[in-house]
Structures are given as structure tokens and as C-alpha cells.
Amino acid sequence: MSKRKASKHKIDRRLGENIWGRPKSSVNRRSYGPGQHGQRRKSKVSDFGIQLRAKQKLKGYYGDVTEKQFKRTYQEAASMKGDTGQNLIGLLEQRLDMIVYRAKFAPTIFSARQIVSHGHIRVNGVKCNIASRRVRPGDILTLGPKAKEMALIAEAQSLAERDVPDYVVAEADKATFVRVPTLDEVPYPVKMEPNLVVEFYSR
């Protein structure tokens, strides 16, 4: 598991948006960037800057995955038939840690990754601790015995700020990945622009 190098709230503030829709996000109180130069007047952003920002926002939303991992996912999306942007979103939504998050087994994508890496998730009855594992339609995720007692999971399931999307069927300790979603089906709290990510890597 790759280690996050920055506070998740700094990711929010650097982008200037509450990308996970969390009530505790510091963007809700301070809309400027972190650090001593955070309140400087913003200059006009170039096309490259706009594309880079779109990539950083999407990468950050999925738990600030490493650039190497994210680019590899993009390359796979580009090699598939159909729209590359849609393919990219579909592949990112198939990550095991993201299905755990979507099923409300964890309050944040970062805690979802931790739950997976600590071996608390079973995929079709087999323990898996690889957060980036690709989940296929029809796969069933279940919580391990210790996970069922965790306060973190009870907290996540009680959160009113987000709902389980239609492409995941979740029960108390089980979730089924029904289908790969399209961009319009993914419940992003902010606008994501995978087309700009495609432009960034196509330069």
C-alpha cells in the first residue's frame, strides 16, 4: 500500500474544493490554499494548468493514488474500446478500496484503503489486502469477523452525507458490485472532467 504524503485536508485546500463532500473539510472554513503563500492572488491558469488540475483532482479523489499507478490506469483505459475518459472512470470505480468506500464500509477513501490493507475484506469469500485490485461485476465483498465489530464501519454506515450508488448493492456486512458505472452515475460531490485528464496525457 502506498503511503499518503499529504494531509487529505491539504489536498482539498490545494485544489480549493471539498472534493469528498465532507463536513469537516477545511475548505468549508478557509477556501484559500495551505501554507504562507496560500492567500496570494491567483494568476490566470494556462490550458496545461487546467488539465493538470483536473488530473490532480481526480487522482486526489481516489485516495491520492501514485502517479505511476494512475498513469498505468489511464494507459489501460486508452487501450480499451470506447471513450477513454469513461473507461478511466470505470476502471477507477472498480478498485477494491473504492467499492468498500461506495458500500459505506468506511467513512473516507483513505480508511477504506486501510481496512483493505489490514485484511478485513473478503472478495468472493477470499481475503484480499490489495486496495487496487480490480473488482468485476458480480463479485461479492464481505467484512471479516473483526471488521464487523469496528466502530469505524458503524460510523460510516450511519453517515447521511452520501448514499450507496445504484451500481453497488450493500447490506450490513456484504456488498455486490453490479456493473461498471458511467461518469454520470458516479456520485462525485464536485465536477470531475476526465476529458481534460485525457488531454493532459495526450500532449
Side-chain angles (χ1 to χ4, degrees), residues 45-132:
V45 183
S46 65
D47 287 348
F48 170 79
I50 292 169
Q51 294 162 2
L52 176 63
R53 179 185 165 82
K55 181 192 72 115
Q56 298 295 72
K57 185 161 66 167
L58 193 64
K59 195 160 76 84
Y61 179 83
Y62 285 95
D64 208 21
V65 295
T66 64
E67 175 60 27
K68 183 178 178 181
Q69 212 172 43
F70 191 79
K71 187 172 184 180
R72 192 165 60 230
T73 305
Y74 165 77
Q75 289 169 337
E76 186 176 348
S79 69
M80 294 165 64
K81 290 182 180 178
D83 181 83
T84 301
Q86 292 278 6
N87 293 341
L88 177 62
I89 296 300
L91 291 174
L92 290 168
E93 284 292 314
Q94 285 181 267
R95 287 176 58 97
L96 179 56
D97 56 357
M98 184 47 64
I99 304 299
V100 169
Y101 177 65
R102 292 286 182 229
K104 294 180 78 169
F105 288 165
T108 68
I109 179 58
F110 301 104
S111 54
R113 186 173 298 166
Q114 190 174 48
I115 286 168
V116 173
S117 67
H118 288 182
H120 293 304
I121 299 296
R122 310 281 188 272
V123 180
N124 300 327
V126 180
K127 183 163 76 172
C128 180
N129 61 1
I130 302 169
S132 60

Side-chain angles (χ1 to χ4, degrees), residues 2-28:
S2 61
K3 187 176 180 181
R4 186 172 80 246
K5 294 181 176 64
S7 159
K8 59 179 177 284
H9 295 315
K10 279 188 180 178
I11 296 169
D12 262 359
R13 286 184 62 200
R14 189 172 66 237
L15 293 166
E17 293 182 78
N18 184 358
I19 61 173
W20 298 287
R22 295 281 286 163
K24 292 181 181 177
S25 173
S26 53
V27 173
N28 298 337

